[in-house]
Amino acid sequence: MPTYRFNVNGKPVAVEAPADTPLLWVLRERLGLTGPKYGCGVGACRACTSHLDGKEFQPCTVAVSECGGRKITTIEGLADGDELHPVQQAWLDEDVAQCGFCQPGQIMAAAALLKTNKTPTDAEIDAIENVCRCGTYCRIRDAIKRASAAM
Amino acid sequence: MAGPGEPTARTEESPDAKPRVGRRKFLTFLVAAPTLTVAAKYTFDPVADALPSLPAPSELLDLGDVITLATKPTAWSMVLRVEDDGRVRFELPRAESGQGITTTAAMIIAEELGARLSDVAVELSDAKPEFLWNQFTAGSTGVRTLWSPLRGIAATARARLITAAARRLGVEAGTLTTRDSAVWAPDGRSESFGSLASAAASTTSTAVSTAPKDASGYTLIGKPTGRMDARDIVTGKAEYAMDMTIEGALATVVARPPTIKGTVVSFDAAPALAIPGVVAVTQIPSGVAVSAETIDLALKGRDALVITWKNGPAVGLSDADIRTKLRASTAPLAVPRLLTNHLDASFDFGFVSHAPMEVHSAIADVREDGAEVWVACQSPIMAQNDVAGAIGLPSSKVKLHVLRAGGSFGRRLFWEPAVEAALVSKKIGRPVRLMWTRTDDVRHGRLRPASHHKIRATYLLGEVLSFEHRMASVETDLKHGFGEIVSASGAAVSGPGDGLLFFHLSASNPYHFGLVTQLLTEVPVPVHTGSWRSVYSAGLRTAEEVVVDELAAKMGKDPVQFRMSVLKSKRAKDVLAKVAKEGQWGKAMPRGWAQGVAVHEEYRSVTACLVEINATDPKAPRVTRATIAVDVGLAINPTGLKAQMMGGLMDAISTVLQAGVHLDAGKVREKSYADFRYARQKDAPIKLDVFVMPPTGEPGGAGELGVPAAAGAVANAYARATGTKPRSFPINF
Ligand code: FES
Ligand code: FES
C-alpha cells in the first residue's frame, strides 16, 4: 500500500492507504479526526467541508493520492489553541447549533468565505450550499455577519 | 438510587400535587375520547345562527397528556445527584437530537436548586426498563413530561441542602436561600452545595418546604440561554455514534436491495473478501453486511459483492398508484351541499424522507453471556428488547447506551442499525460499528407517509356552517412503543388502531367552523414509514389553512381579519395579531410577490406564521421574510424555542415547495441531498423574526409546533403570489 505524506492541522502526517481512498475516511478512520462529518460521501451535503491549502473543499470527493505534500485544515485545527476562531465565536454568540452535525462543515465553509471576502453580501452567503437539516440557516447568516464585523 | 454520600432527591412527598386542569378534563373525557367524533354528538342544523364548534378531542386530551400520564408512575425513579465537587448530575431518560432538551432540563434543575447552570451536568440515560414508558422522546412532550418531576426532584434536593446548611451554620433553615450553587445565610455566610453534599444525604427530614418555587421568583427560566454543548460542537469535539469506536470494532456497511424490503436470493462473497482489509461478509435479513478494518474498505467490499435480489413487495407500486389508492380510500364527505354555498378542495402530499444529517449508525459488542450496544435512539427500551430478541438473549443481558443524535425528526423512533450491528457482531464474534450510507437512509429509511385530503366547507351569510376533512394516509408505522404507552397511560381503549388513536389525540382545528369533523383512513402499503415532525398535522393542517384562505376569499374577507373573526382561543388571536403587526400584513408587494399567513394550535401551544414569498419564477420561489409568534405557555429557554420555530419553518419551506421523494416501482428514486431537495441557505428567508409571547401558563410542546403553521403560510403565500390554488405538495417536485 502506498504511503502519503501531507500536513494536517499544522502537523506532518504519513498514512498508508489505497490511492483511491477518499480523504474523508483517511482523516476519520486513520487519523482519528472525526470533526469532518460524513453526510453523503458524494459532495452533496458538505458536512465534511474542510480546507485544502487554505481553500474550502469536500474531503469525501478528493482521493488521498491527490493530497501529497498539501496542507489540510479540519475543524479541529481552526481555533488557535483555546482561542476560538472568530467564526466559531460568532457561532456561540448566535447559538447557531441544534444537533450540531453539520456545523463543523458550516463553520469551515464560512471561515473560507471570510478569508477571501471580508464582507460577503446576502447573495454571496446564499451561495453556501452546505445542508443544515435542522434548518439553522438564519442564524448561520447572522453569525457570518457577526464574524465579518469582528474580523 | 444513590448510595451514602450521594444525596438524592428521594421524594416520598409529592412536591407538585396540584392537579392540572387539563388532566382532570382528560380523566373525565378519557373513555369517550378515542372513539368520539364531534359530529356524533350534534345533529347538523344548517340554519342555526350561532355556530360555535365543539372542542376537538385533542383540545381536551392530547397526545402529550397521554404520554404524561404514562410516564407519571416512574417519574420519581429519575435521579438527581449533588456531588462532593459541587457538580449536579442528572441522567435524562430522553434523546437529544438537537432540540435542546438537555439544556432545558439543566435550566429547570438549576433554577429550582439555585445552582449555577454550568454546574449542572445532564447526561442521557442508558435504556432502563424500570422507566417503563418514561424513556421515550416523541410528540413534543419532552418539557411537558419533565416539568413537574424535575422541579419536584430539584426542590426536594434544595430543601435537603438548606436543612443541612442550617445545622452547620446554626441558623433557622427558613432564613436560608440558595444561589450560585451554595446555601446563603442572611449574614452573608455560605456553604457550597459540594460541601453539603454528604451531610444533606443523611438529613432525614427537611426543615423547609419541598414545594417548587413560585414562577415570580424565576431568574433562569425564561432567560435566553445558549446550548450547553455549543463549544464542543463548534470545535468538532462533540461525539456522535459514527465518531465512536470500541476496541477491536470492525467497520460495517450493508449492501441493500434495489427495492424497498427486497431480499437476498444468493450472493458471492469472494470478490469482497479478496480485498485486503475486508474481514467478514454476513447475510442478515436486510441485506449482506461487509465488515472491514475501516469504512472505506467496507464500502469497497460492499461494491464488490455479487448479489441476486428478490424484489420487495411494493415493486408494483409507484407514486401514481399510491395516489389512486389513497383517493379511493378517502372516506366520503357526509354534509350535503344543500342550498348553502360550499367549497370543496382536495390535496395530495408526497412521501418525504426524514434525512437527519447524521445517518443511522450503531455499535454492538455481542458476547455469549451479554451484549452492549450504543445507538442514538428515541425509544431505547423498545430497542433493547428488540436487540435482545434478535440475538436470543434476555433483555436484562443487553446494555443499551443512548447517544446524542445528529438530528432525528422522528427517524430515531426506530433503531434498525442497532439490531443489524448486533446480528453481525454475534455472527462474526467481534464488536462492530455499523453505518448506513446516505443512500441507504433515503432508499431504505423511513418515509413520511403520502396522504390525500378531501375538504368540504359550507357557509351561509358570512358564517362557516361546517368544515369536513377526510384524510387518507399511507399507514404510519407506530410500532415503536406508542400503543404500549397509550395502554400504560390508563387510556385503555379498544377499537381504533394506533394510527387512528394517535390521529384523534393530535388532530384539531382552531376555528369556530360550526360542525368540524376530521377523519383518517389508513392505507397499508409495504414501505417503511414513520412519524415525521408534526406527524398527521403537517398535511392535515396545511390543507386546512389553504382552505381557510380560499374561504375568506369566497366571502370577500381578508385572510387575517377572517381568521380573527373565527379563531376560538384568545391565545391564537394574540399570536395572529402579533405577526400581522410585526410582519406588516397587507403591505404593498411587487407583482409575483405575496404574503401568506396561517395559525396552528397543538401540544397546548399555539403559533402563527406570516411569510413573504418571491414567486416571480413559480418554479423557483423564495421565502424572503418570515415572522413567527409563539405561545408555549411558558418558554423555559426562548433561544431554544426560537431555534425550534426556525427549524419548523425550514421544514415547511422544504416540504411545501420542493423536498420529497418519489416511489418508482417499489424503489425510492432519490439517493442523497443532491436530489432530495431539503432547503439550503438560498431557500431560507433573509429576515426572520420570532416573537415569544408572554407566559400564559405551564409549558406546552414546541419541537413540532412550528411546521404546520409555517407550511400553511408558505402555501398561502405561494397561492396569492401566483394566483394558483396549490393542491399537490411539494409544489415543484
Ligand atoms: S460527506 Fe462530503 S459532501 Fe457530504
Ligand atoms: S444543526 Fe443539525 S444539521 Fe445543522
Side-chain angles (χ1 to χ4, degrees):
Chain A
M1 232 184 277
T3 300
Y4 297 95
R5 286 169 209 287
F6 43 94
N7 183 297
V8 182
N9 296 333
K11 291 194 197 80
V13 298
V15 279
E16 268 189 29
D20 59 353
T21 309
L23 185 70
L24 177 63
W25 300 120
V26 171
L27 295 170
R28 291 182 54 88
E29 301 269 305
R30 290 172 179 78
L31 298 172
L33 290 168
T34 55
K37 302 301 184 201
Y38 164 87
C40 71
V42 296
C45 75
R46 303 189 173 226
C48 62
T49 301
S50 302
H51 298 172
L52 183 62
D53 296 331
K55 291 204 187 71
E56 165 187 342
F57 85 124
Q58 282 68 46
C60 69
T61 61
V62 173
V64 62
S65 58
E66 293 170 52
C67 299
R70 304 178 75 173
K71 273 184 64 178
I72 292 151
T73 308
T74 67
I75 187 74
E76 287 94 337
L78 187 65
D80 184 2
D82 276 347
E83 179 81 13
L84 292 181
H85 184 280
V87 171
Q88 290 170 309
Q89 186 57 50
W91 246 246
L92 293 188
D93 295 340
E94 295 291 339
D95 199 38
V96 175
Q98 288 188 30
C99 82
F101 199 81
C102 75
Q103 301 299 349
Q106 303 280 5
I107 290 169
M108 293 306 277
L113 171 65
L114 290 171
K115 207 182 243 187
T116 55
N117 182 348
K118 301 261 172 279
T119 50
T121 61
D122 278 322
E124 285 162 340
I125 294 173
D126 279 354
I128 297 177
E129 288 180 33
N130 293 52
V131 176
C132 174
R133 178 60 186 85
C134 297
T136 63
Y137 299 114
C138 302
R139 287 192 187 171
I140 288 174
R141 185 184 302 277
D142 292 346
I144 291 174
K145 290 180 179 173
R146 180 189 279 263
S148 152
M151 279 164 81
Chain B
M1 297 293 273
E6 296 169 304
T8 293
R10 184 196 294 274
T11 72
E12 298 78 28
E13 315 94 303
S14 169
D16 185 24
K18 203 168 45 150
R20 284 182 44 215
V21 178
R23 188 166 302 147
R24 198 178 287 272
K25 278 183 180 161
F26 159 54
L27 288 170
T28 53
F29 187 74
L30 186 58
V31 178
T35 47
L36 176 87
T37 60
V38 178
K41 278 207 158 183
Y42 278 69
T43 36
F44 180 62
D45 177 2
V47 291
D49 50 9
L51 291 163
S53 300
L54 283 174
S58 66
E59 289 163 29
L60 300 179
L61 157 71
D62 80 349
L63 184 64
D65 291 330
V66 168
I67 295 179
T68 305
L69 280 179
T71 59
K72 212 171 156 49
T74 63
W76 305 109
S77 49
M78 291 192 271
V79 175
L80 178 114
R81 280 198 328 254
V82 180
E83 297 185 340
D84 289 334
D85 63 1
R87 297 288 282 170
V88 178
R89 295 194 180 277
F90 180 74
E91 274 192 18
L92 181 69
R94 295 289 181 277
E96 171 66 67
S97 43
Q99 81 277 37
I101 189 69
T102 43
T103 301
T104 306
M107 288 174 73
I108 296 172
I109 292 167
E111 175 76 68
E112 209 51 68
L113 209 49
R116 275 185 297 261
L117 184 59
S118 55
D119 288 337
V120 181
V122 174
E123 283 140 20
L124 304 181
S125 175
D126 288 348
K128 288 192 180 157
E130 63 267 31
F131 278 125
L132 298 173
W133 306 113
N134 188 16
Q135 190 168 15
F136 181 63
T137 309
S140 299
T141 57
V143 176
R144 289 177 70 184
T145 51
L146 293 167
W147 173 241
S148 287
L150 275 191
R151 284 183 307 143
I153 291 167
T156 306
R158 181 189 62 216
R160 288 177 178 243
L161 289 163
I162 287 179
T163 305
R167 273 194 206 141
R168 192 174 293 169
L169 296 169
V171 294
E172 179 61 35
T175 65
L176 299 177
T177 53
T178 59
R179 105 184 101 85
D180 294 338
S181 301
V183 181
W184 297 79
D187 60 12
R189 286 183 299 157
S190 70
E191 288 288 336
S192 72
F193 286 176
S195 75
L196 293 166
S198 302
S202 52
T203 303
T204 46
S205 63
T206 50
V208 289
S209 163
T210 57
K213 268 187 185 177
D214 188 74
S216 60
Y218 290 159
T219 54
L220 189 53
I221 286 175
K223 186 175 151 204
T225 304
R227 297 182 63 89
M228 294 182 74
D229 52 0
R231 197 180 167 100
D232 281 353
I233 290 172
V234 304
T235 52
K237 288 198 188 78
E239 196 175 59
Y240 302 81
M242 204 197 294
D243 304 332
M244 264 194 65
T245 188
I246 58 170
E247 187 65 29
L250 289 175
T252 302
V253 296
V254 180
R256 299 177 195 276
T259 53
I260 296 171
K261 298 190 181 186
T263 47
V264 178
V265 176
S266 64
F267 68 100
D268 180 6
L273 288 167
I275 296 170
V278 171
V279 179
V281 173
T282 318
Q283 188 179 344
I284 56 175
S286 46
V288 182
V290 178
S291 303
E293 299 300 340
T294 55
I295 290 199
D296 48 287
L297 295 172
L299 288 167
K300 262 193 188 169
R302 180 201 63 176
D303 294 343
L305 288 171
V306 181
I307 307 175
T308 308
W309 300 101
K310 180 172 182 283
N311 281 331
V315 72
L317 294 173
S318 296
D319 282 339
D321 308 299
I322 302 283
R323 206 169 299 136
T324 308
K325 257 178 190 279
L326 291 173
R327 286 179 181 172
S329 309
T330 312
L333 295 161
V335 176
R337 289 176 221 172
L338 296 178
L339 300 172
T340 61
N341 296 309
H342 74 280
L343 186 159
D344 281 5
S346 55
F347 299 86
D348 293 297
F349 288 80
F351 289 109
V352 184
S353 174
H354 293 82
M357 204 69 217
E358 181 200 14
V359 289
H360 250 8
S361 58
I363 299 165
D365 184 4
V366 178
R367 315 262 169 118
E368 284 285 281
D369 55 346
E372 207 164 351
V373 176
W374 290 259
V375 64
C377 178
Q378 292 171 255
S379 33
I381 300 172
M382 294 292 286
Q384 181 189 31
N385 283 333
D386 204 22
V387 168
I391 55 175
L393 281 174
S395 288
S396 58
K397 296 286 183 202
V398 176
K399 194 159 178 52
L400 188 135
H401 308 281
V402 179
L403 303 177
R404 74 157 71 221
S408 177
F409 320 103
R411 178 68 185 92
R412 293 178 215 277
L413 283 163
F414 294 95
W415 50 83
E416 302 94 330
V419 172
E420 292 176 343
L423 285 172
V424 176
S425 174
K426 181 180 164 152
K427 282 202 185 165
I428 67 175
R430 293 208 32 193
V432 305
R433 49 193 178 97
L434 184 144
M435 184 190 96
W436 283 43
T437 65
R438 173 61 57 197
T439 305
D440 288 345
D441 192 51
V442 175
R443 296 209 160 150
H444 298 280
R446 302 278 163 168
L447 299 170
R448 178 171 103 176
S451 60
H452 178 72
H453 305 251
K454 281 190 183 29
I455 297 178
R456 172 175 295 163
T458 60
Y459 57 98
L460 192 66
L461 306 173
E463 290 231 57
V464 180
L465 306 177
S466 69
F467 192 94
E468 279 184 289
H469 190 154
R470 303 287 180 264
M471 172 173 179
S473 175
V474 169
E475 188 177 20
T476 306
D477 185 348
L478 295 167
K479 290 191 287 297
H480 43 64
F482 172 69
E484 289 82 347
I485 282 176
V486 172
S487 314
S489 74
V493 284
S494 56
D498 289 349
L500 295 183
L501 184 54
F502 190 116
F503 179 82
H504 279 291
L505 291 172
S506 60
S508 70
N509 173 302
Y511 304 106
H512 279 301
F513 277 165
L515 180 72
V516 177
T517 55
Q518 296 164 310
L519 293 182
L520 170 72
T521 310
E522 294 211 286
V523 181
V525 173
V527 296
H528 302 290
T529 61
S531 300
W532 199 101
R533 197 180 197 175
S534 87
V535 198
Y536 298 109
S537 299
L540 185 88
R541 293 287 303 118
T542 304
E544 291 183 356
E545 288 296 321
V546 171
V547 170
V548 173
D549 257 34
E550 292 179 12
L551 267 174
K554 285 247 184 195
M555 294 193 258
K557 293 184 187 171
D558 167 84
V560 167
Q561 252 69 64
F562 176 60
R563 282 180 175 80
M564 280 304 216
S565 70
V566 286
L567 275 169
K568 292 182 203 168
S569 80
K570 175 169 183 316
R571 293 171 74 196
K573 288 180 197 169
D574 287 350
V575 289
L576 179 58
K578 184 74 180 171
V579 297
K581 174 167 171 276
E582 303 288 349
Q584 298 160 288
W585 175 254
K587 75 174 188 187
M589 305 282 288
R591 207 182 149 76
W593 294 58
Q595 293 177 310
V597 73
V599 176
H600 183 62
E601 202 164 352
E602 197 176 350
Y603 321 106
R604 303 281 177 259
S605 299
V606 58
T607 182
C609 178
L610 190 169
V611 302
E612 291 178 9
I613 204 167
N614 171 0
T616 36
D617 176 357
K619 291 270 165 257
R622 165 97 185 247
V623 172
T624 54
R625 179 179 172 188
T627 309
I628 296 170
V630 57
D631 173 354
V632 291
L634 176 66
I636 312 288
N637 181 6
T639 309
L641 173 60
K642 289 180 182 181
Q644 287 304 301
M645 302 312 289
M646 172 172 57
L649 170 69
M650 294 316 304
D651 282 357
I653 289 172
S654 301
T655 54
V656 167
L657 298 178
Q658 62 192 48
V661 297
H662 296 84
L663 189 69
D664 288 337
K667 172 181 162 184
V668 172
R669 185 188 302 171
E670 285 73 11
K671 288 171 77 169
S672 78
Y673 293 112
D675 40 18
F676 171 62
R677 298 192 305 131
Y678 191 81
R680 306 291 213 277
Q681 185 65 264
K682 69 176 169 47
D683 307 304
I686 307 279
K687 183 168 165 54
L688 167 68
D689 296 292
V690 183
F691 297 92
V692 176
M693 303 298 279
T696 51
E698 293 208 341
E704 302 170 274
L705 176 69
V707 180
V714 172
N716 283 335
Y718 184 89
R720 286 158 52 96
T722 57
T724 58
K725 289 185 174 166
R727 290 292 184 263
S728 182
F729 301 99
I731 291 171
N732 293 310
F733 186 37

